[in-house]
Amino acid sequence: MSFVKEFAKGLWKELPPFRLVLGLCPTLAVTKSAADGLGMGAAVIFVLVLSNAIISMVRKIIPKKVRIACFIVIAASLVVAVELLMQAYAYPLYQSLGIFVPLIVVNCIILGRAEAFASKNPVHLSIADGLGMGIGFTMSLTFLGALREVFGAGKLFGATVFGPDFKPFTFMVEAPGAFVCLGLILGAMNYLAIWQSKRKGLPEPSLAASCGGCRACSIGESKQIMQEG
Amino acid sequence: MNYFEMLIAAIFVNNIILAQYLGCCPFVGCSKDRGVAIGMGAAVTFVASMATAFTWLMQKYVLNPFGLGYLQTLVFILVIASLVQFVEMFLKKMVPPLYKSLGIFLPLITTNCAVLGLAILAQRNEFGLGVSVFYAFSAALGFTLALFLMAGIRERLVISRVPKSMQGTSIGLVMAGLMSLTFFAFQGMIG
Amino acid sequence: MITSSILVMFGLGLACAVVLSVASKLLAVEEDPRVEAVLDALPGANCGGCGFAGCESYAAAAVRDPDVPADRCCAGGPDVAAKIAELTGKAAGSAEPMVAFRRCAKSEGNVAKRYDYQGVPSCAAAKLLGSPDACSYSCIGLGDCMRACPFDAMYMAHGMVHVITEKCTACGTCVSTCPNHVMQIVPQAARVMVLCSSLDKGKAVSEVCEVGCISCMKCVKECPAKCIALEGGKIHIDHTACLAYGSSCQEVCAEKCPRGILRCLGAAAAARVQEAEAAA
């Protein structure tokens, strides 16, 4: 039961980039097309599930003081593995994702889940959490990628969608389009959440906060990290 | 490409946040106050320049001779994390005033993709040591500029009426998009 | 390849660990435990009234710097000062009780509105369009200071802010918040105060306000203790010198002021003005 719960929360309630606002850089950078988004998502699922599993396994023997450093090293090793796998089996994808494959290691979604979940929960729940979050992340990236590809290039997964008269709205595939698109989606998610809770008569939900409280990035809690790190 | 062209290109044309999407987390998280933005920018500039130098040496004298290029990511992040920790301790002891202004930002920088990204980008572009460091320095200046501009806009945004569901990160990202569009105009500057 | 990669990672990890652990020994900074104790004694409002960046920096300064007095925390008052004095081994002294004071009397001066401001209710926002009052130095009256006040010591009435002396700790938050720099910290016992903070020339002031300071310098000339001066375009009273001189001058400055804005306002007199305003 709890396995399903942990898995399902990543799919909607705590959807990483849109509700928790985790891992913005790849969300913006590799969503020029739906296929790129999907590929990036797959790589993140791989790293996230394994890192969650490993961290959860060794969580009792990691000294508190060097916890963050250990998480980073584990994630980095897995990222190297992903890099090698992609070079061997999906070289075109590896090339189009470019620098953002090695940068998975500093994606706050990995460290954020490790810190917030895997370091406190047993292995099977951590795997469920990683899987749910990873799939949620992939869905979001594919959705954003599809949106930008359809409007920006008139294609979906490389196949032409509109007729020959369609003039692509190039803005969408360039950097500004990425920011504006993500901003509007966040706004829409907030609107949905507010509308939903109003209908159910619940108190107003908190708006999508920056980085889902990933502690690596917030000034207020930096003191704590300093002491731990 | 001469140094001046590189500086302009890295700050305006290929702005690290607005055109290359590196370091978006602090761009959203640390852009509420102009002072904080400058502090964060200075810390990133400092660490990125140093980290690029160190990782360049690592690549040249450790990874390449042993044919271990595939360990790049792992080694770089290790070097950066240790470097940040060391710099923090060093500043705390030796230069307390500087530590006071940059100290709180340093631990955040290990997981800043701008720092690791610049180190890797410098390798992929096959720059020499001096050029790599200069590249990292100028790109980090671009980071500071974008952060500072964003903070300036956000300070004004506090007192304007934004629809409830667009408040916070959402409107911030839309504004980042408009800024990015503005920076797009610099594309024609360097041919 | 496997051996070399293992060796390199092992060597690198070891090197980093050794460097960092040696550095943490060599570069360790000893924290004075008293700083923590002083910080605990402080109210933690981080109001900045002590002149430091926050409670933490004041605590550090009070412990390390022998010249920083123990009684700088205005929010905590004498109790906290005594505790800090005990912790740092300094003389507690007696801090002069201070209070925030509004240097504006626009309702008496019938200051006209320049335009009808309908925007976000915030002085800072209104100030972006230029002050809504005809006088650019008046109390805008949209309550930025009231919301900023950590001690709930302010309220709005008749388009202006009012200070509740009993609650005010003179932390100075309102002084730094007010976009028109209307608020000022003065001793509670101050004998005479100026109710205008305009920087304009006399003619410009008298056009917009019936009681604004026209910088006629009468008070400056009349004061026998020479504790009134025109500083940076505003009349400034040196309250320490004024209180030290005593009441033998019979507040000649207030008497001679042609605009009637130099007033004898003790804590009691301030209440009287508020009553008068309420009646009007």
Side-chain angles (χ1 to χ4, degrees), chain C residues 121-124 139-149 154-156 159-161 177 179:
Chain C
S122 146
C123 305
C139 171
I140 298 175
L142 292 168
D144 278 11
C145 49
M146 180 182 76
R147 283 182 291 276
C149 180
M154 304 179 111
Y155 66 93
M156 308 302 301
M160 285 196 286
V161 68
T177 308

Side-chain angles (χ1 to χ4, degrees), chain A residues 5 25 36 113 148 158 183-184 195 211:
Chain A
K5 208 180 96 202
C25 303
D36 281 359
R113 289 332 287 174
R148 290 177 62 195
L184 292 179
W195 178 76
C211 295

Side-chain angles (χ1 to χ4, degrees), chain B residues 66-78:
Chain B
F66 293 102
L68 294 174
Y70 63 92
L71 284 180
Q72 196 187 49
T73 315
L74 188 50
V75 170
F76 277 20
I77 192 74
L78 203 64

